[in-house]
Amino acid sequence: MSKIAEVIVDIATSSTDKIFDYNLIDNVTVGSRVMVPFGNRKIEGYVINIKDFSNYPEDKIKNILYPIDDFVAINNEMLNLMWYMQRNYHIRLVDGLRLFIPAEMRAGKVKSKYKKIIYLNCDFETAITKIKKNATSQKDILIYLNNFGKAEYTQICNKFNNSAVNKLLDEKLIKCKSVENKRQPYTFIKDKKVESFTLKESQRSAVEKILSAKTFKTFLLHGVTGSGKTEVYIQCISECLKENKTSIMLVPEISLTPQMLERLRSRFEDKVAILHSGLSAGEKFDEWLRIKRGEAKVVIGARSAIFAPVENLGLIIIDEEHEQSYISENNPRYSAHDIAEFRAKYNDAILVKGSATPSIESYNKAKSGEYELLTMNERINKKPLPEIEIVNMCEEFIAGNKSAFSRSLLSAIDDCIKEGNQAMLFINRRGFSSFLMCRSCGFIAKCDDCDVSLVYHKEDNTLKCHYCGNRYTSFTKCPKCGSESIRLGSAGTEKIVNDLKELYPNIKVLRMDNDTTRTKESHFKILSDFKNKNAQILVGTQMIAKGHDFPDVTLVGIIDADLSLYQTDFRSNERTFQLITQVAGRAGRDKKPGKVILQTYAPRHYVYRFALNYDYLGFFAKELNIRQVTKFPPFTEIIRILIRDDDEQLVLNTTKEITLKLRQFMENDDIKDKFAYFQAMKSPVKKINGKIRYQILMRIKDHSLIEKIYEIIDSVNVKCELFVEINPQNLT
Ligand code: ADP
Ligand code: ZN
Ligand code: ZN
């Protein structure tokens, strides 16, 4: 009797997220992707287990049709990870599985690319005697192949002619082979030799400690910007390779700079695979397959690279570990930190998290001994960190300066330009103005589908919704009352560039934000233009804050430091501190000293006081204390249940029903004490993309409550979208 395969079908609905039994066929094993009959359709599925018996009657069980790939797509580790993610994040099994393979592989959208190569099939002299005297094309082809050894089929067809090539093939005078044609990403990055350094003492000691871990262990590498953390990572990866172990290095999307890639390529050559959202579907698939086959042993990429199909994992690195981008806010919601920890434990591997400004949570773990703390206090070049000058913008206003630039900043830009140096100006808002408002009636343009005001983009004269991407035509007359007196909101990148061009008509200014980096390579182009000094000023959003190493940048201006400070989010202080430290770290990296000018309306805020002195430890102590008093992470865990649908009534009813059940659960005093906060309400942004959003927000003191909360959610028949988020990065 045949064995039974347990299959998860590739349909993302709750009703199909079950395990279905099929009869096993040859060449299929646990982890195979298979085609199965489902109702009257054929769909793709994943074999997650094989067993001897089914509880269903034998005649009801259908056969698997065929295996989809000629390799096993999902290994045991990933199957375990799938269950882990379901337990912890309350997500569908199929949503977990989908993360493990390139999206384009599903439904057969990409395959390996092949090219046909032709060769002589016998020696040249023999071949020549076998063709007709007047067959000149055939003769030319044979001569060509004799000279070059081989050629691509299509090229030869174009160069000579199809029928001549095919005739030679028919006569078996030449032969044709299919070989895989790898799409290699980032070929525009030259394979440059980048020198490797002798490690400094601080680096050597960090590397030694990291490599001395023989079983799973997490390190927190706290090193100031420019202290040489990347070199520590590279050294550890290189040691792992010597033991034939693989490594994954996660970086924030925006840190995948040409410099970083050059450094890794030069060190690890074709053993590096890059996973990045900027790759084409084909490139992603080819990189994935190289990893899967063990050809690439070092994986570098953004968040989702944590799912890279490496075997024999020895090391995971999370660079800039405090970055929000490691937490997915789309479905399925997950934290790359959790996944990294799972995989490192599963493989008995080492986990290294590095940052100049670790998250409060991570640093707290290092202090409590859960992570081992490694500290690098000095920049490699022993240069002091750049001096930060705080400018009180209230005083500027009182003095009659209403522009976005303080007098200090302007004179610093003047000096910087005169000396032939470069400046970076940071403002974490794109567009021209944060809103348009009528001075007569107070009308503010809002998105039809979202509960937010629209941002004015001057270059294409539109109003854009930064939540759903909707565009509206802009106006110079109020659409409500007809008044022509329109007020602009706060300046964004576009306005800053605009103003600079008026102030310095002869200076080249570059802008880097989401609007100027839409195409795959634009991002790299802007950075290399700046690096090559084709421009003297670079204006940008947080995209310019990290990783970049420009030796001639001597001035960094933070136009509106308060932007991240007044968000209704318990992490806003932490984020502001991190951003300032990161941005400031761009100045004075080489021989010339750097200077930072920070503009704020709240110069005495403690965040600025600590940032001014690069006092991470002082900031950490203060912030931790506030978190303890106000009962926020790491002292509690935040759980948000987000419920959304077009139909407000449905959302409201669902929210009420779950709230009621949760409240019943909390009736017991013991349980109630484990909740630090519980509230059901509209989300701060009540509508996005036409969907009404409600949320149940909780702060719990005991992680084990999560299981019960999931049970309660499952006991309700939910007919709208529902997501659970644990310690979400964004509470809009
Ligand atoms: P971090 O990641 O901590 O900001 P990096 O690893 O980028 O720092 O190093 C800062 C600079 O110092 C880089 O330009 C790097 O090439 C250089 N560097 C790193 N390690 C050494 C070393 N041991 N000797 C000389 N230069 C080094
Ligand atoms: Zn009006
Ligand atoms: Zn919108």
Side-chain angles (χ1 to χ4, degrees), residues 438 440-443 478 480-483:
C438 168
S440 308
C441 74
F443 170 84
C478 171
K480 228 174 124 190
C481 76
S483 158

Side-chain angles (χ1 to χ4, degrees), residues 170-445:
D170 285 346
E171 300 292 327
K172 299 207 164 49
L173 297 178
I174 62 173
K175 65 186 169 185
C176 180
K177 262 200 228 164
S178 255
V179 300
E180 236 175 283
N181 184 12
K182 281 268 183 312
R183 288 153 284 215
Q184 212 202 7
Y186 298 117
T187 40
F188 58 95
I189 291 173
K190 306 284 172 296
D191 277 329
K192 206 161 73 180
K193 269 284 157 246
V194 178
E195 54 179 324
S196 61
F197 316 102
T198 5
L199 292 186
K200 303 278 187 223
E201 178 49 33
S202 58
Q203 292 171 312
R204 209 183 44 75
S205 145
V207 170
E208 234 165 55
K209 284 188 185 138
I210 291 168
L211 294 174
S212 70
K214 291 291 166 253
T215 55
F216 164 73
K217 187 165 183 181
T218 307
F219 293 88
L220 180 65
L221 178 57
H222 179 213
V224 297
T225 52
S227 58
K229 295 187 288 297
T230 314
E231 209 51 42
V232 170
Y233 306 147
I234 289 178
Q235 201 58 43
C236 292
I237 294 173
S238 160
E239 290 303 315
C240 274
L241 266 179
K242 283 186 195 153
E243 292 176 35
N244 210 18
K245 287 194 171 168
T246 57
S247 309
I248 299 177
M249 174 162 162
L250 298 185
V251 296
E253 191 93 8
I254 37 188
S255 296
L256 274 170
T257 59
Q259 290 161 12
M260 179 72 113
L261 298 180
E262 267 168 19
R263 230 155 130 182
L264 288 157
R265 276 255 179 92
S266 129
R267 200 61 155 266
F268 303 116
E269 296 166 351
D270 56 357
K271 289 199 188 68
V272 192
I274 300 163
L275 295 175
H276 182 237
S277 64
L279 304 188
S280 72
E283 287 170 345
K284 252 185 239 168
F285 174 71
D286 284 356
E287 289 292 82
W288 187 86
L289 210 56
R290 284 203 313 126
I291 302 166
K292 180 88 192 159
R293 290 175 176 159
E295 293 161 18
K297 294 187 187 300
V298 179
V299 178
I300 169 162
R303 179 177 66 219
S304 61
I306 195 59
F307 299 111
V310 290
E311 304 272 350
N312 201 19
L313 183 61
L315 174 67
I316 301 177
I317 291 158
I318 307 183
D319 188 27
E320 310 281 8
E321 68 91 33
H322 61 278
E323 275 288 316
Q324 296 180 57
S325 63
Y326 291 126
I327 289 143
S328 158
E329 291 177 347
N330 304 322
N331 196 39
R333 283 144 210 260
Y334 67 88
S335 156
H337 286 274
D338 297 344
I339 312 295
E341 186 171 312
F342 176 94
R343 296 198 70 181
K345 274 186 184 156
Y346 189 95
N347 290 283
D348 235 342
I350 303 168
L351 176 56
V352 179
K353 303 186 179 189
S355 173
T357 51
S359 72
I360 299 289
E361 281 104 322
S362 291
Y363 201 82
N364 194 47
K365 284 183 180 168
K367 275 192 63 182
S368 72
E370 190 179 335
Y371 298 169
E372 182 172 336
L373 183 64
L374 307 168
T375 309
M376 301 201 302
N377 278 327
E378 267 191 351
R379 281 184 152 185
I380 286 286
N381 53 13
K382 300 261 199 267
K383 280 267 168 341
L385 289 159
E387 182 207 334
I388 301 181
E389 176 190 333
I390 294 186
V391 176
N392 183 349
M393 291 303 275
C394 300
E395 284 172 9
E396 290 295 309
F397 187 80
I398 292 165
N401 176 9
K402 289 177 187 156
S403 86
F405 304 91
S406 61
R407 291 160 293 175
S408 268
L409 182 55
L410 282 181
S411 89
I413 296 176
D414 286 345
D415 291 347
C416 173
I417 291 173
K418 263 187 222 129
E419 287 156 18
N421 293 324
Q422 291 179 298
M424 288 170 87
L425 300 181
F426 168 77
I427 173 141
N428 216 359
R429 183 193 289 122
R430 65 194 168 93
F432 194 84
S433 134
S434 56
F435 59 80
L436 289 187
M437 189 178 110
C438 168
R439 284 185 198 272
S440 308
C441 74
F443 170 84
I444 288 186

